[in-house]
Amino acid sequence: MPVKIVLGSQWGDEGKGKLVDILCASASMCCRAAGGNNAGHTIVVNGITYDFHILPSGLINPSCKLNLIGAGCVVHLPSFFKELGALEQKGLQEVRQRVKISDRAQVCFDLHCAVDGISEEILRSKDAKSMIGTTKKGIGPCYSDKVGRRGVTMAMLISENGQWEKRLRTLHQTYTGTYGSDALSHYDLEAEIARTKDFRQELIKGDYIIDATPLLSKTIGNNGRAITTSSQFQQSPDQAAKTLESNGDTPAAGSELFSNVLIEGANALLLDIDHGTYPYVTSSNTGLGGVFTGLAGLSPLSLNHPDSSIIGVVKAYTTRVGSGPFPTELGTEVANVSTEDAHSGDQLQSIGREFGVTTGRKRRCGWLDLVLVKYSCQVNCYTHLNFTKLDVLDTFPEIRVAMSYKDRRTGQTISGFPADIDLIANENLDIVYKTFEGWQTETTGTREWDQLPDKAKAYIEFVEQEVGVPIKWIGTGPRREDMVVR
Ligand code: IMP
């Protein structure tokens, strides 16, 4: 069973949606492992724009029979049903039948969204710089309650014992104790309980909640034990089933149903709770580790399959929304950059149309940072890269790439991508750049490697050599077809 994992390699918004859309065409199962409706991407098919936040984008392909929201996710039910409704209105078929939620995923309540707003406001009132700049979708508070063992799982929600309501009341009481009732005066607990009861009925009636582990385990056959050698991977499903039987294992019922699994990352590595620019991160494991905790049953050994891959999506420059360090940031709002560099940042923002899909916020922009991308490759073990938005650089006379960081105070080179974010605060950092001559030729819509300008090829080949991972796809425009495949 080949598994393709698509992960954001920088701070999100790398343009994962397009590759996911392309790969979805051959996937019969698409899974989200972590995060909530803080993620967002837009897919344009036949002139219709579809927005995805919590739903897996396999829904766009009618033959993608199962779209799973895994145990590592937090699900805001009003948003889940609203998104399903929007996809139906745009004509997508059987979306409700093709989506399932793990019974171990957490319920993200409106209470969490309210608390997200309150905690940001508290940070802002102390010092605006310490705000995380969250999406205010309740992600941090919901994951905090999960880890604090106070949360509500989908299994609790659909159980007849009614404990979900008691737990929600306790959460409300605790938050009221922490922040005071005035802070939560705009939140209506009884209304949320009433709404949740309706959503609960809908979840039960529509059979949305499943035990995902046996299913994921079955998709690669018998807990992944039997079909793990490359020779067995070469076998047809029938042959593999016979091998399993001869080993005394039972072939998984339904294993033939899911011939290709696509795992769609949400957010991106530098927002990972453990490996990102903490505390300016989201609250889930957005990297490779999160895939296997969020989708238990999926064997890591499935990556041995010759057609499996871990694809890192790298934007040809860098963007970030929200607060936090950003070594290569440019733009007129950034302190200590030359007028020319400030202009380049503003150009990247406007040519790249860098506004958030989920929040509509203007994204911060800067040059490609290879220190960061190399770190991302180390953490996520990418086997291939998708380089995106190359065409945004078409008009630039010069293009720069960050090669290393130096501590401005000591002049010392900083090794790797540091955990201590003070080291990468702009005022403490000097960046060693390599400058490339721009190709100044339109590449939008190019589909063949040979048709790219030589200077663009040199830029891509340089990145590939530096990070040591092949760049298989190069995005050259917003449409599905605007992609060079090597
Ligand atoms: P939260 O995930 O809403 O808690 O936000 C934490 C940080 O992650 C903020 O800086 C957000 O802007 C950022 N963030 C969360 N999800 C995404 C995403 O999908 N793309 C880009 N930034 C994101």
Side-chain angles (χ1 to χ4, degrees):
M1 171 69 46
V3 175
K4 291 192 170 55
I5 304 175
V6 180
L7 299 168
S9 71
Q10 295 150 309
W11 276 293
D13 310 309
E14 294 87 359
K16 291 183 286 294
K18 198 161 70 161
L19 182 65
V20 164
D21 174 33
I22 291 169
L23 298 177
C24 268
S26 57
S28 54
M29 179 171 178
C30 179
C31 309
R32 275 277 306 270
N37 60 324
N38 53 346
H41 55 248
T42 303
I43 295 179
V44 184
V45 182
N46 300 331
I48 305 176
T49 303
Y50 302 92
D51 285 333
F52 289 87
H53 296 285
I54 181 63
L55 296 177
S57 15
L59 284 171
I60 213 137
N61 167 18
S63 61
C64 189
K65 294 287 177 228
L66 182 72
N67 290 272
L68 176 69
I69 299 176
C73 295
V74 295
V75 186
H76 181 250
L77 292 169
S79 306
F80 170 80
F81 284 112
K82 192 170 160 204
E83 220 175 299
L84 277 176
L87 294 184
E88 271 175 344
Q89 274 193 348
K90 289 186 176 177
L92 283 186
Q93 302 292 310
E94 296 190 320
V95 285
R96 287 172 202 267
Q97 292 83 340
R98 291 189 290 123
V99 69
K100 300 286 174 202
I101 307 175
S102 159
D103 53 4
R104 292 175 184 274
Q106 296 274 319
V107 183
C108 182
F109 289 106
D110 282 322
L111 176 61
H112 291 123
C113 304
V115 170
D116 200 350
I118 296 169
S119 33
E120 282 284 88
E121 198 44 45
I122 292 172
L123 290 174
R124 196 187 62 79
S125 64
K126 288 188 183 141
D127 169 15
K129 274 198 194 148
S130 63
M131 275 177 84
I132 308 294
T134 72
T135 58
K136 302 212 177 104
K137 303 285 180 191
I139 307 298
C142 185
Y143 277 108
S144 303
D145 283 331
K146 165 180 165 169
V147 176
R149 295 158 289 192
R150 298 175 296 264
V152 173
T153 64
M154 290 292 163
M156 287 175 184
L157 182 69
I158 60 166
S159 159
E160 290 301 326
N161 68 15
Q163 65 165 317
W164 71 268
E165 186 180 329
K166 291 188 199 116
R167 290 174 79 88
L168 176 57
R169 286 187 187 280
T170 307
L171 286 179
H172 180 248
Q173 209 175 21
T174 311
Y175 283 125
T176 307
T178 309
Y179 297 117
S181 45
D182 278 359
L184 278 165
S185 58
H186 59 289
Y187 169 75
D188 185 340
L189 174 66
E190 299 310 323
E192 169 137 60
I193 290 173
R195 266 195 309 278
T196 308
K197 283 183 178 164
D198 291 344
F199 288 132
R200 178 180 177 275
Q201 286 308 328
E202 211 170 331
L203 288 173
I204 295 170
K205 210 169 115 211
D207 213 7
Y208 287 95
I209 310 298
I210 61 163
D211 177 0
T213 304
L215 183 81
L216 284 162
S217 173
K218 277 177 194 171
T219 58
I220 56 158
N222 231 19
N223 276 331
R225 281 183 290 120
I227 316 183
T228 50
T229 64
S230 48
S231 62
Q232 283 167 325
F233 270 131
Q234 313 291 355
Q235 297 174 344
S236 70
D238 281 356
Q239 285 169 323
K242 283 196 184 109
T243 311
L244 286 168
E245 274 168 15
S246 65
N247 289 350
D249 292 324
T250 319
S255 56
E256 69 290 352
L257 189 62
F258 304 113
S259 53
N260 228 324
V261 179
L262 176 66
I263 295 163
E264 177 183 14
N267 326 114
L269 194 262
L270 272 295
L271 293 171
D272 186 284
I273 186 75
D274 291 310
H275 302 289
T277 43
Y278 188 90
Y280 299 98
V281 291
T282 188
S283 299
S284 62
N285 281 113
T286 59
L288 185 62
V291 169
F292 293 103
T293 53
L295 298 171
L298 176 91
S299 169
L301 297 175
S302 58
L303 292 174
N304 282 342
H305 189 290
D307 292 333
S308 288
S309 44
I310 308 168
I311 305 157
V313 184
V314 181
K315 202 183 281 191
Y317 48 100
T318 313
T319 60
R320 130 164 250 179
V321 278
S323 326
F326 181 170
T328 61
E329 184 174 10
L330 306 168
T332 31
E333 288 154 24
V334 184
N336 304 327
V337 293
S338 68
T339 318
E340 203 183 316
D341 280 348
H343 177 67
S344 300
D346 292 347
Q347 290 282 94
L348 289 171
Q349 206 278 324
S350 61
I351 301 172
R353 295 173 303 279
E354 295 294 354
F355 290 94
V357 177
T358 302
T359 59
R361 288 179 292 177
K362 204 166 158 177
R363 296 179 188 139
R364 300 156 64 194
C365 297
W367 296 122
L368 181 65
D369 183 344
L370 287 187
V371 183
L372 179 159
V373 177
K374 281 181 192 173
Y375 168 70
S376 187
C377 290
Q378 283 170 354
V379 178
N380 277 346
C381 312
Y382 306 124
T383 58
H384 301 85
L385 298 180
N386 171 200
F387 206 54
T388 61
K389 298 186 99 166
L390 180 78
D391 57 309
V392 172
L393 300 179
D394 284 353
T395 55
F396 286 77
E398 278 188 347
I399 294 158
R400 297 165 83 193
V401 177
M403 301 298 296
S404 61
Y405 300 157
K406 277 190 174 171
D407 187 328
R408 186 172 295 164
R409 298 158 300 183
T410 62
Q412 300 279 316
T413 298
I414 299 169
S415 119
F417 189 85
D420 177 358
I421 58 167
D422 271 355
L423 287 175
I424 50 168
N426 292 63
E427 61 273 21
N428 297 334
L429 193 67
D430 281 327
I431 296 177
V432 180
Y433 281 106
K434 180 172 169 65
T435 303
F436 289 79
E437 243 182 85
W439 43 95
Q440 297 194 282
T441 311
E442 191 174 339
T443 63
T444 311
T446 306
R447 292 185 207 171
E448 300 294 331
W449 171 251
D450 289 342
Q451 282 166 14
L452 284 175
D454 286 345
K455 288 175 184 163
K457 286 198 254 183
Y459 178 66
I460 295 163
E461 280 171 343
F462 178 79
V463 173
E464 191 169 47
Q465 268 164 25
E466 276 296 306
V467 301
V469 181
I471 296 180
K472 181 162 178 186
W473 297 268
I474 300 143
T476 54
R479 293 171 309 162
R480 191 192 245 185
E481 318 74 70
D482 299 338
M483 187 80 103
V484 173
V485 185
R486 289 164 87 199

